Short mmCIF file of all heavy atoms in Angstrom, two decimals:
data_model
loop_
_atom_site.label_atom_id
_atom_site.label_comp_id
_atom_site.label_asym_id
_atom_site.label_seq_id
_atom_site.Cartn_x
_atom_site.Cartn_y
_atom_site.Cartn_z
N VAL B 244 -24.42 1.47 9.31
CA VAL B 244 -24.54 2.32 10.49
C VAL B 244 -23.19 2.30 11.21
O VAL B 244 -22.81 1.29 11.82
CB VAL B 244 -25.67 1.86 11.43
CG1 VAL B 244 -25.83 2.84 12.59
CG2 VAL B 244 -26.97 1.71 10.66
N SER B 245 -22.48 3.41 11.13
CA SER B 245 -21.12 3.48 11.65
C SER B 245 -21.09 3.49 13.17
O SER B 245 -22.07 3.87 13.83
CB SER B 245 -20.43 4.74 11.13
OG SER B 245 -20.37 4.75 9.73
N PRO B 246 -19.95 3.14 13.75
CA PRO B 246 -19.78 3.28 15.20
C PRO B 246 -19.54 4.73 15.56
O PRO B 246 -19.55 5.62 14.70
CB PRO B 246 -18.54 2.42 15.48
CG PRO B 246 -17.76 2.47 14.20
CD PRO B 246 -18.79 2.54 13.10
N ASN B 247 -19.30 4.97 16.82
CA ASN B 247 -19.10 6.33 17.31
C ASN B 247 -17.71 6.49 17.91
O ASN B 247 -17.03 5.51 18.21
CB ASN B 247 -20.16 6.65 18.38
CG ASN B 247 -20.14 8.11 18.81
OD1 ASN B 247 -19.85 8.99 18.01
ND2 ASN B 247 -20.43 8.37 20.08
N ASP B 250 -14.00 4.26 17.99
CA ASP B 250 -14.29 3.16 17.05
C ASP B 250 -14.43 3.68 15.63
O ASP B 250 -13.98 3.04 14.67
CB ASP B 250 -15.58 2.43 17.46
CG ASP B 250 -15.41 1.58 18.70
OD1 ASP B 250 -14.30 1.11 18.95
OD2 ASP B 250 -16.41 1.38 19.42
N MET B 254 -12.27 2.50 12.30
CA MET B 254 -12.92 1.66 11.30
C MET B 254 -13.44 2.40 10.07
O MET B 254 -13.87 1.75 9.11
CB MET B 254 -14.08 0.91 11.95
CG MET B 254 -13.68 -0.03 13.06
SD MET B 254 -15.14 -0.86 13.75
CE MET B 254 -14.37 -2.04 14.85
N GLY B 320 -24.87 -2.79 11.13
CA GLY B 320 -24.44 -1.96 12.25
C GLY B 320 -23.15 -2.46 12.86
O GLY B 320 -22.98 -3.66 13.09
N VAL B 321 -22.24 -1.52 13.14
CA VAL B 321 -20.91 -1.85 13.67
C VAL B 321 -20.77 -1.27 15.07
O VAL B 321 -21.02 -0.07 15.28
CB VAL B 321 -19.81 -1.30 12.74
CG1 VAL B 321 -18.43 -1.70 13.26
CG2 VAL B 321 -20.01 -1.80 11.32
N ARG B 322 -20.38 -2.11 16.03
CA ARG B 322 -20.20 -1.69 17.41
C ARG B 322 -21.45 -0.96 17.93
O ARG B 322 -22.52 -1.53 17.88
CB ARG B 322 -18.93 -0.82 17.54
CG ARG B 322 -17.65 -1.53 17.18
CD ARG B 322 -17.22 -2.52 18.25
NE ARG B 322 -16.82 -1.78 19.46
CZ ARG B 322 -17.15 -2.17 20.70
NH1 ARG B 322 -17.91 -3.24 20.87
NH2 ARG B 322 -16.73 -1.48 21.76
N LEU B 323 -21.35 0.28 18.39
CA LEU B 323 -22.55 0.97 18.86
C LEU B 323 -23.56 1.14 17.73
O LEU B 323 -24.77 1.15 17.97
CB LEU B 323 -22.18 2.34 19.44
CG LEU B 323 -23.34 3.15 20.02
CD1 LEU B 323 -23.98 2.44 21.20
CD2 LEU B 323 -22.88 4.55 20.44
N GLY B 324 -23.07 1.22 16.50
CA GLY B 324 -23.98 1.26 15.36
C GLY B 324 -24.86 0.03 15.28
O GLY B 324 -26.01 0.10 14.82
N GLY B 325 -24.33 -1.11 15.71
CA GLY B 325 -25.14 -2.34 15.76
C GLY B 325 -26.24 -2.26 16.80
O GLY B 325 -27.36 -2.74 16.59
N THR B 326 -25.93 -1.65 17.92
CA THR B 326 -26.93 -1.45 18.98
C THR B 326 -28.09 -0.60 18.46
O THR B 326 -29.27 -0.95 18.60
CB THR B 326 -26.28 -0.75 20.19
OG1 THR B 326 -25.00 -1.30 20.45
CG2 THR B 326 -27.17 -0.87 21.42
N LEU B 327 -27.72 0.52 17.84
CA LEU B 327 -28.75 1.43 17.33
C LEU B 327 -29.51 0.82 16.16
O LEU B 327 -30.74 0.96 16.06
CB LEU B 327 -28.08 2.73 16.88
CG LEU B 327 -27.31 3.50 17.97
CD1 LEU B 327 -26.47 4.60 17.34
CD2 LEU B 327 -28.27 4.08 19.00
N ALA B 328 -28.80 0.12 15.28
CA ALA B 328 -29.45 -0.50 14.12
C ALA B 328 -30.47 -1.54 14.55
O ALA B 328 -31.53 -1.70 13.92
CB ALA B 328 -28.40 -1.14 13.22
N SER B 329 -30.19 -2.26 15.63
CA SER B 329 -31.14 -3.28 16.11
C SER B 329 -32.45 -2.65 16.54
O SER B 329 -33.54 -3.18 16.25
CB SER B 329 -30.52 -4.03 17.30
OG SER B 329 -29.38 -4.75 16.91
N VAL B 330 -32.36 -1.51 17.21
CA VAL B 330 -33.57 -0.82 17.66
C VAL B 330 -34.42 -0.41 16.47
O VAL B 330 -35.65 -0.62 16.45
CB VAL B 330 -33.20 0.42 18.51
CG1 VAL B 330 -34.46 1.20 18.89
CG2 VAL B 330 -32.44 0.01 19.76
N LEU B 341 -30.69 -7.79 9.12
CA LEU B 341 -29.86 -7.04 10.07
C LEU B 341 -28.52 -7.75 10.21
O LEU B 341 -28.46 -8.95 10.50
CB LEU B 341 -30.57 -6.98 11.43
CG LEU B 341 -29.80 -6.36 12.60
CD1 LEU B 341 -29.53 -4.88 12.35
CD2 LEU B 341 -30.58 -6.55 13.91
N VAL B 342 -27.44 -7.00 9.97
CA VAL B 342 -26.09 -7.52 10.18
C VAL B 342 -25.52 -6.83 11.41
O VAL B 342 -25.40 -5.61 11.45
CB VAL B 342 -25.18 -7.27 8.96
CG1 VAL B 342 -23.78 -7.81 9.23
CG2 VAL B 342 -25.77 -7.90 7.71
N LEU B 343 -25.17 -7.62 12.42
CA LEU B 343 -24.58 -7.10 13.64
C LEU B 343 -23.10 -7.45 13.63
O LEU B 343 -22.73 -8.62 13.77
CB LEU B 343 -25.27 -7.70 14.87
CG LEU B 343 -26.76 -7.40 15.01
CD1 LEU B 343 -27.36 -8.16 16.19
CD2 LEU B 343 -27.00 -5.90 15.16
N TYR B 344 -22.27 -6.44 13.43
CA TYR B 344 -20.82 -6.67 13.32
C TYR B 344 -20.15 -6.21 14.61
O TYR B 344 -20.04 -5.02 14.88
CB TYR B 344 -20.26 -5.91 12.12
CG TYR B 344 -18.86 -6.35 11.72
CD1 TYR B 344 -18.66 -7.49 10.95
CD2 TYR B 344 -17.75 -5.64 12.14
CE1 TYR B 344 -17.40 -7.90 10.59
CE2 TYR B 344 -16.48 -6.04 11.79
CZ TYR B 344 -16.30 -7.17 11.02
OH TYR B 344 -15.03 -7.59 10.66
N SER B 345 -19.77 -7.19 15.43
CA SER B 345 -19.16 -6.91 16.74
C SER B 345 -19.99 -5.89 17.52
O SER B 345 -19.47 -4.87 17.98
CB SER B 345 -17.72 -6.40 16.56
OG SER B 345 -17.06 -6.32 17.80
N PRO B 346 -21.29 -6.15 17.70
CA PRO B 346 -22.16 -5.14 18.30
C PRO B 346 -21.93 -5.00 19.81
O PRO B 346 -21.45 -5.93 20.47
CB PRO B 346 -23.56 -5.70 18.03
CG PRO B 346 -23.35 -7.18 18.07
CD PRO B 346 -22.01 -7.41 17.43
N CYS B 347 -22.27 -3.85 20.35
CA CYS B 347 -22.36 -3.66 21.79
C CYS B 347 -23.76 -4.10 22.18
O CYS B 347 -24.75 -3.49 21.74
CB CYS B 347 -22.13 -2.21 22.17
SG CYS B 347 -20.53 -1.57 21.65
N VAL B 348 -23.86 -5.13 22.96
CA VAL B 348 -25.18 -5.70 23.25
C VAL B 348 -26.03 -4.74 24.08
O VAL B 348 -27.25 -4.68 23.92
CB VAL B 348 -25.03 -7.06 23.96
CG1 VAL B 348 -26.39 -7.61 24.39
CG2 VAL B 348 -24.32 -8.05 23.04
N SER B 349 -25.38 -3.94 24.91
CA SER B 349 -26.13 -2.95 25.68
C SER B 349 -25.36 -1.64 25.74
O SER B 349 -24.12 -1.62 25.62
CB SER B 349 -26.39 -3.46 27.11
OG SER B 349 -25.19 -3.47 27.86
N GLY B 350 -26.09 -0.57 25.95
CA GLY B 350 -25.45 0.72 26.11
C GLY B 350 -24.58 0.77 27.34
O GLY B 350 -23.52 1.41 27.36
N ARG B 351 -25.00 0.06 28.39
CA ARG B 351 -24.20 0.03 29.61
C ARG B 351 -22.85 -0.64 29.36
O ARG B 351 -21.81 -0.21 29.87
CB ARG B 351 -24.96 -0.71 30.71
CG ARG B 351 -26.15 0.07 31.27
CD ARG B 351 -26.81 -0.68 32.40
NE ARG B 351 -27.92 0.08 32.97
CZ ARG B 351 -28.68 -0.35 33.96
NH1 ARG B 351 -28.45 -1.54 34.50
NH2 ARG B 351 -29.68 0.41 34.41
N GLN B 352 -22.87 -1.71 28.56
CA GLN B 352 -21.62 -2.39 28.21
C GLN B 352 -20.69 -1.44 27.47
O GLN B 352 -19.49 -1.36 27.76
CB GLN B 352 -21.92 -3.60 27.33
CG GLN B 352 -20.68 -4.27 26.73
CD GLN B 352 -21.01 -5.17 25.56
OE1 GLN B 352 -22.11 -5.71 25.47
NE2 GLN B 352 -20.06 -5.33 24.65
N TYR B 353 -21.25 -0.68 26.54
CA TYR B 353 -20.45 0.26 25.77
C TYR B 353 -19.83 1.33 26.67
O TYR B 353 -18.63 1.63 26.56
CB TYR B 353 -21.34 0.92 24.72
CG TYR B 353 -20.66 1.99 23.89
CD1 TYR B 353 -19.66 1.68 22.99
CD2 TYR B 353 -21.04 3.32 24.01
CE1 TYR B 353 -19.04 2.66 22.22
CE2 TYR B 353 -20.43 4.31 23.24
CZ TYR B 353 -19.44 3.97 22.36
OH TYR B 353 -18.84 4.95 21.61
N VAL B 354 -20.62 1.86 27.59
CA VAL B 354 -20.12 2.89 28.50
C VAL B 354 -19.03 2.32 29.40
O VAL B 354 -18.01 2.97 29.67
CB VAL B 354 -21.26 3.49 29.32
CG1 VAL B 354 -20.72 4.42 30.41
CG2 VAL B 354 -22.23 4.26 28.42
N ARG B 355 -19.22 1.10 29.90
CA ARG B 355 -18.20 0.47 30.74
C ARG B 355 -16.88 0.33 29.99
O ARG B 355 -15.80 0.57 30.54
CB ARG B 355 -18.67 -0.90 31.23
CG ARG B 355 -19.68 -0.86 32.35
CD ARG B 355 -19.78 -2.20 33.06
NE ARG B 355 -20.14 -3.27 32.13
CZ ARG B 355 -21.39 -3.66 31.88
NH1 ARG B 355 -22.41 -3.04 32.48
NH2 ARG B 355 -21.64 -4.65 31.05
N GLU B 356 -16.96 -0.08 28.74
CA GLU B 356 -15.75 -0.24 27.94
C GLU B 356 -15.04 1.11 27.77
O GLU B 356 -13.80 1.18 27.87
CB GLU B 356 -16.10 -0.81 26.56
CG GLU B 356 -16.54 -2.26 26.60
CD GLU B 356 -16.92 -2.77 25.22
OE1 GLU B 356 -16.68 -2.05 24.22
OE2 GLU B 356 -17.45 -3.90 25.12
N LEU B 357 -15.80 2.17 27.50
CA LEU B 357 -15.19 3.49 27.34
C LEU B 357 -14.53 3.95 28.64
O LEU B 357 -13.42 4.52 28.62
CB LEU B 357 -16.24 4.51 26.91
CG LEU B 357 -16.78 4.42 25.48
CD1 LEU B 357 -17.64 5.63 25.18
CD2 LEU B 357 -15.66 4.32 24.46
N MET B 360 -11.24 2.10 29.03
CA MET B 360 -10.24 2.60 28.09
C MET B 360 -9.75 3.99 28.52
O MET B 360 -8.56 4.30 28.43
CB MET B 360 -10.82 2.67 26.68
CG MET B 360 -11.11 1.31 26.07
SD MET B 360 -11.97 1.43 24.48
CE MET B 360 -10.70 2.23 23.47
N LEU B 387 -19.32 11.60 26.06
CA LEU B 387 -20.71 11.19 26.27
C LEU B 387 -21.20 11.98 27.48
O LEU B 387 -20.66 11.82 28.59
CB LEU B 387 -20.82 9.69 26.55
CG LEU B 387 -20.41 8.72 25.45
CD1 LEU B 387 -20.56 7.28 25.94
CD2 LEU B 387 -21.25 8.93 24.19
N LEU B 395 -28.23 5.79 26.88
CA LEU B 395 -27.61 4.55 26.39
C LEU B 395 -27.89 3.40 27.34
O LEU B 395 -28.04 2.25 26.92
CB LEU B 395 -26.11 4.75 26.22
CG LEU B 395 -25.63 5.53 25.01
CD1 LEU B 395 -24.14 5.79 25.10
CD2 LEU B 395 -25.96 4.79 23.71
N LYS B 397 -30.45 2.64 28.72
CA LYS B 397 -31.78 2.06 28.50
C LYS B 397 -31.81 1.09 27.31
O LYS B 397 -32.82 0.43 27.07
CB LYS B 397 -32.80 3.17 28.26
CG LYS B 397 -32.91 4.15 29.43
CD LYS B 397 -33.81 5.34 29.08
CE LYS B 397 -33.83 6.37 30.20
NZ LYS B 397 -34.65 7.57 29.85
N LEU B 398 -30.70 1.05 26.55
CA LEU B 398 -30.64 0.19 25.36
C LEU B 398 -30.04 -1.16 25.70
O LEU B 398 -28.96 -1.24 26.29
CB LEU B 398 -29.81 0.86 24.25
CG LEU B 398 -30.27 2.22 23.74
CD1 LEU B 398 -29.35 2.67 22.59
CD2 LEU B 398 -31.71 2.16 23.25
N ASP B 399 -30.73 -2.21 25.33
CA ASP B 399 -30.22 -3.58 25.50
C ASP B 399 -30.83 -4.42 24.40
O ASP B 399 -32.02 -4.76 24.44
CB ASP B 399 -30.59 -4.14 26.88
CG ASP B 399 -29.94 -5.48 27.15
OD1 ASP B 399 -29.58 -6.18 26.17
OD2 ASP B 399 -29.79 -5.84 28.33
N ILE B 400 -30.06 -4.75 23.39
CA ILE B 400 -30.62 -5.42 22.22
C ILE B 400 -30.92 -6.90 22.50
O ILE B 400 -31.58 -7.55 21.68
CB ILE B 400 -29.71 -5.28 20.99
CG1 ILE B 400 -28.35 -5.93 21.21
CG2 ILE B 400 -29.53 -3.81 20.65
CD1 ILE B 400 -27.46 -5.89 19.97
N SER B 401 -30.47 -7.40 23.64
CA SER B 401 -30.84 -8.77 23.99
C SER B 401 -32.26 -8.85 24.51
O SER B 401 -32.79 -9.94 24.75
CB SER B 401 -29.87 -9.32 25.04
OG SER B 401 -30.04 -8.67 26.29
N ARG B 402 -32.92 -7.70 24.69
CA ARG B 402 -34.31 -7.66 25.15
C ARG B 402 -35.29 -7.37 24.02
O ARG B 402 -36.50 -7.29 24.26
CB ARG B 402 -34.46 -6.61 26.26
CG ARG B 402 -33.62 -6.90 27.50
CD ARG B 402 -33.78 -5.80 28.53
NE ARG B 402 -33.00 -6.08 29.73
CZ ARG B 402 -32.91 -5.27 30.78
NH1 ARG B 402 -33.58 -4.11 30.76
NH2 ARG B 402 -32.19 -5.59 31.83
N LEU B 403 -34.79 -7.17 22.82
CA LEU B 403 -35.66 -6.89 21.68
C LEU B 403 -36.26 -8.18 21.14
O LEU B 403 -35.76 -9.28 21.39
CB LEU B 403 -34.86 -6.18 20.58
CG LEU B 403 -34.27 -4.81 20.95
CD1 LEU B 403 -33.43 -4.27 19.79
CD2 LEU B 403 -35.37 -3.81 21.30
N TYR B 405 -36.99 -10.42 17.97
CA TYR B 405 -36.47 -10.62 16.62
C TYR B 405 -37.24 -11.70 15.86
O TYR B 405 -36.79 -12.16 14.82
CB TYR B 405 -35.00 -11.05 16.68
CG TYR B 405 -34.08 -10.02 17.28
CD1 TYR B 405 -33.81 -10.03 18.65
CD2 TYR B 405 -33.47 -9.06 16.49
CE1 TYR B 405 -32.95 -9.09 19.22
CE2 TYR B 405 -32.61 -8.11 17.05
CZ TYR B 405 -32.36 -8.14 18.41
OH TYR B 405 -31.51 -7.21 18.96
N TYR B 412 -25.09 -12.39 12.79
CA TYR B 412 -24.38 -11.93 13.97
C TYR B 412 -22.92 -12.37 13.84
O TYR B 412 -22.61 -13.56 13.85
CB TYR B 412 -25.04 -12.52 15.22
CG TYR B 412 -24.31 -12.28 16.53
CD1 TYR B 412 -23.51 -11.16 16.74
CD2 TYR B 412 -24.46 -13.19 17.58
CE1 TYR B 412 -22.87 -10.96 17.95
CE2 TYR B 412 -23.83 -13.00 18.80
CZ TYR B 412 -23.03 -11.89 18.98
OH TYR B 412 -22.39 -11.69 20.18
N ILE B 413 -22.02 -11.39 13.71
CA ILE B 413 -20.58 -11.67 13.57
C ILE B 413 -19.89 -11.16 14.83
O ILE B 413 -19.95 -9.97 15.14
CB ILE B 413 -19.99 -10.99 12.32
CG1 ILE B 413 -20.75 -11.43 11.06
CG2 ILE B 413 -18.50 -11.30 12.19
CD1 ILE B 413 -20.25 -10.78 9.77
N HIS B 414 -19.25 -12.08 15.54
CA HIS B 414 -18.61 -11.70 16.80
C HIS B 414 -17.12 -12.03 16.76
O HIS B 414 -16.64 -12.82 15.94
CB HIS B 414 -19.27 -12.44 17.97
CG HIS B 414 -19.08 -13.94 17.93
ND1 HIS B 414 -17.97 -14.57 18.47
CD2 HIS B 414 -19.85 -14.92 17.41
CE1 HIS B 414 -18.07 -15.86 18.29
NE2 HIS B 414 -19.20 -16.12 17.64
N ARG B 415 -16.38 -11.42 17.63
CA ARG B 415 -14.94 -11.63 17.71
C ARG B 415 -14.64 -13.04 18.23
O ARG B 415 -15.24 -13.49 19.20
CB ARG B 415 -14.29 -10.61 18.64
CG ARG B 415 -14.29 -9.19 18.12
CD ARG B 415 -13.75 -8.21 19.13
NE ARG B 415 -12.38 -8.53 19.55
CZ ARG B 415 -11.44 -7.62 19.76
NH1 ARG B 415 -11.72 -6.33 19.59
NH2 ARG B 415 -10.23 -7.97 20.15
N VAL B 418 -13.40 -13.09 21.84
CA VAL B 418 -14.34 -12.67 22.87
C VAL B 418 -15.49 -13.68 23.01
O VAL B 418 -15.92 -14.02 24.10
CB VAL B 418 -14.91 -11.26 22.57
CG1 VAL B 418 -15.99 -10.89 23.57
CG2 VAL B 418 -13.79 -10.23 22.58
N GLY B 419 -15.96 -14.17 21.89
CA GLY B 419 -17.06 -15.11 21.91
C GLY B 419 -18.41 -14.44 21.75
O GLY B 419 -18.55 -13.23 21.96
N ASP B 421 -22.21 -13.34 22.56
CA ASP B 421 -22.94 -12.96 23.76
C ASP B 421 -24.13 -13.90 23.93
O ASP B 421 -25.00 -13.98 23.06
CB ASP B 421 -23.41 -11.51 23.66
CG ASP B 421 -24.06 -11.03 24.94
OD1 ASP B 421 -25.25 -11.33 25.15
OD2 ASP B 421 -23.38 -10.35 25.73
N LYS B 423 -26.70 -13.89 25.99
CA LYS B 423 -28.03 -13.26 26.11
C LYS B 423 -28.56 -12.87 24.73
O LYS B 423 -29.75 -13.03 24.45
CB LYS B 423 -27.95 -12.04 27.02
CG LYS B 423 -27.73 -12.36 28.49
CD LYS B 423 -27.76 -11.09 29.32
CE LYS B 423 -27.58 -11.40 30.80
NZ LYS B 423 -27.61 -10.17 31.64
N LEU B 424 -27.67 -12.37 23.88
CA LEU B 424 -28.10 -11.99 22.54
C LEU B 424 -28.48 -13.23 21.74
O LEU B 424 -29.48 -13.23 21.01
CB LEU B 424 -27.00 -11.21 21.83
CG LEU B 424 -27.32 -10.74 20.41
CD1 LEU B 424 -28.59 -9.88 20.39
CD2 LEU B 424 -26.16 -9.95 19.81
N ILE B 441 -11.85 -9.36 13.18
CA ILE B 441 -12.33 -8.13 13.82
C ILE B 441 -11.24 -7.47 14.66
O ILE B 441 -11.06 -6.25 14.61
CB ILE B 441 -13.57 -8.41 14.67
CG1 ILE B 441 -14.75 -8.86 13.78
CG2 ILE B 441 -13.97 -7.16 15.47
CD1 ILE B 441 -15.99 -9.26 14.56
N ALA B 445 -10.36 -3.61 14.22
CA ALA B 445 -10.83 -2.64 15.22
C ALA B 445 -9.68 -2.09 16.04
O ALA B 445 -9.71 -2.11 17.27
CB ALA B 445 -11.88 -3.29 16.11
#
Side-chain angles (χ1 to χ4, degrees):
V244 185
S245 300
N247 187 34
D250 288 332
M254 298 180 173
V321 182
R322 297 287 291 138
L323 182 63
T326 318
L327 300 168
S329 296
V330 175
L341 174 65
V342 179
L343 299 175
Y344 194 81
S345 189
C347 301
V348 175
S349 71
R351 288 183 178 179
Q352 171 198 332
Y353 176 68
V354 172
R355 283 197 302 268
E356 290 178 9
L357 289 189
M360 292 173 66
L387 296 178
L395 284 172
K397 301 173 185 177
L398 301 183
D399 187 337
I400 63 176
S401 69
R402 298 178 179 177
L403 298 176
Y405 297 91
Y412 172 29
I413 303 179
H414 65 86
R415 291 175 58 141
V418 174
D421 185 279
K423 289 184 178 180
L424 180 57
I441 295 175

